[in-house]
Amino acid sequence: MRITILRALGLGDLLTAVPALRAVRAAHPHARLELATAGALAPLVELVGAVDAVVTTGPFVATPPAGRLPDRLHRADLALNLHGAGPQSTELLRAAEPSRLVSYGVTSAWRAEEHDVRRWCRLLEEAGIPADPTDLALRRPPVASPAPGAVVIHPGAAYGARRWPAQRWAAVARGLAAAGHPVVISGGPDELRLAGAVAREAGLGDDAVLAGRTSLVTLAALVAEAALVACGDTGVAHLATAYGVRSVTLFGPTPPALWGPPPRPQHQVLWAGRTGDPLGDQPAAGLLELPAAEVLAAAAQLLGTRC
């Protein structure tokens, strides 16, 4: 039996689909599961432990481009649309001529106000595949952390609406470093300038800037061995959830009820209660209502320290 699964979005999107991927594997232990996903995520899929092969499809952002899936994904026994509500993603899979298609708009009705983890588990459950939305853990990365035991501050985000001001991140980093905690600043290659600015204003050395110096798997190792992760509503927050690491996550345009971590004592969520455009260029108004002192206090409480 061959199963094609489409989930070609970002890091956080992949991690919220982990319970669904594991559910498919549990329901079909002898099937060949092929996941169509963004190429950059392929190394991290191995840490999920449920997929036989990754087919890279390009850096999808919100909707799949026109065209077709690679031929190797055609005529599967089962195709699962874990990408979105459709119709673009649904039609992309339908064109691959699977024997059976499970997708919102085909086998289930989409609910806008539903947590993303629960959304994909429900899709499978309504198709007869039991799923456990708490099954979020990843395997340990096969590489060492570049800063074991450090506080990881991740100031970047894919959209400006989710980026808390760099000066406030610097204030948090400065306070934690003054309390004796090693602090590092993470980020992607395009966030090196932002990470450097946070580090400089916080009084940290150049060696504290890890942005642009870690692969995705090394970033996972960094988070897995961190003392605490502080970030916005990004994929790094979901990595902290996957490894059960203490975290402070700042929500702005999107409420944590839709994307936040499960209710565990090691995960602290800060939200001003105001929603906005999650794809905007400027920090959401609600995000700007969160002061640095509140974020620092939340981090210090989780770390059991005084700042």
Side-chain angles (χ1 to χ4, degrees), residues 153-157 162-164 169 229-238 248-252 270 287:
I153 291 181
H154 189 88
R162 304 179 189 185
R163 292 187 204 122
W164 202 45
W169 281 123
V229 173
C231 61
D233 176 18
T234 69
V236 170
H238 295 283
V248 177
T249 307
L250 282 58
F251 281 81
L270 300 180
L287 193 60

Side-chain angles (χ1 to χ4, degrees), residues 3-8 20-21 24 33-37 50-51 73 78-82 93:
I3 300 176
T4 291
I5 305 172
L6 178 64
R7 184 66 169 173
L21 294 173
V24 177
L33 271 62
E34 294 185 310
L35 174 65
T37 193
V51 175
L73 297 178
L78 173 62
L80 299 169
N81 182 4
L82 304 184
L93 283 169

Side-chain angles (χ1 to χ4, degrees), residues 21-293:
L21 294 173
R22 295 239 177 86
V24 177
R25 169 52 68 204
H28 300 283
H30 304 298
R32 179 170 177 79
L33 271 62
E34 294 185 310
L35 174 65
T37 193
L41 298 179
L44 204 67
V45 174
E46 295 184 19
L47 305 182
V48 177
V51 175
D52 293 303
V54 172
V55 179
T56 59
T57 54
F60 295 171
V61 176
T63 57
R68 52 183 272 141
L69 289 172
D71 289 344
R72 62 181 286 185
L73 297 178
H74 283 228
R75 297 181 178 83
D77 298 287
L78 173 62
L80 299 169
N81 182 4
L82 304 184
H83 190 85
Q88 297 94 334
S89 53
T90 302
E91 292 309 312
L92 193 67
L93 283 169
R94 198 191 301 277
E97 301 180 323
S99 297
R100 182 189 179 198
L101 173 61
V102 172
S103 173
Y104 280 113
V106 178
T107 57
S108 295
W110 180 271
R111 298 173 187 167
E113 299 301 314
E114 185 172 29
H115 194 285
D116 206 57
V117 173
R118 177 61 190 151
R119 170 176 289 128
W120 304 114
C121 289
R122 180 173 63 85
L123 176 68
L124 295 185
E125 289 167 353
E126 292 179 357
I129 300 175
D132 178 6
T134 68
D135 189 10
L136 293 161
L138 290 180
R139 293 174 175 173
R140 288 282 176 170
V143 299
S145 167
V151 171
V152 176
I153 291 181
H154 189 88
Y159 298 97
R162 304 179 189 185
R163 292 187 204 122
W164 202 45
Q167 297 86 348
R168 299 190 197 182
W169 281 123
V172 173
R174 188 185 312 114
L176 293 174
H181 297 285
V183 177
V184 296
I185 315 299
S186 63
D190 58 340
E191 295 169 333
L192 180 58
R193 186 173 180 180
L194 170 62
V198 172
R200 283 191 302 274
E201 187 158 341
L204 303 177
D206 291 341
D207 58 346
V209 179
L210 298 183
R213 295 166 51 191
T214 59
S215 66
L216 194 53
V217 172
T218 303
L219 177 63
L222 174 69
V223 170
E225 298 296 330
L228 177 136
V229 173
C231 61
D233 176 18
T234 69
V236 170
H238 295 283
L239 278 176
T241 296
Y243 289 114
V245 171
R246 289 174 289 194
S247 64
V248 177
T249 307
L250 282 58
F251 281 81
T254 304
L258 301 183
W259 283 91
R264 301 171 182 166
Q266 68 266 40
H267 301 313
Q268 178 72 261
V269 169
L270 300 180
W271 185 49
R274 296 179 59 185
T275 59
D277 178 9
L279 307 183
D281 293 331
Q282 299 301 317
L287 193 60
L288 293 177
E289 292 179 16
L290 299 174

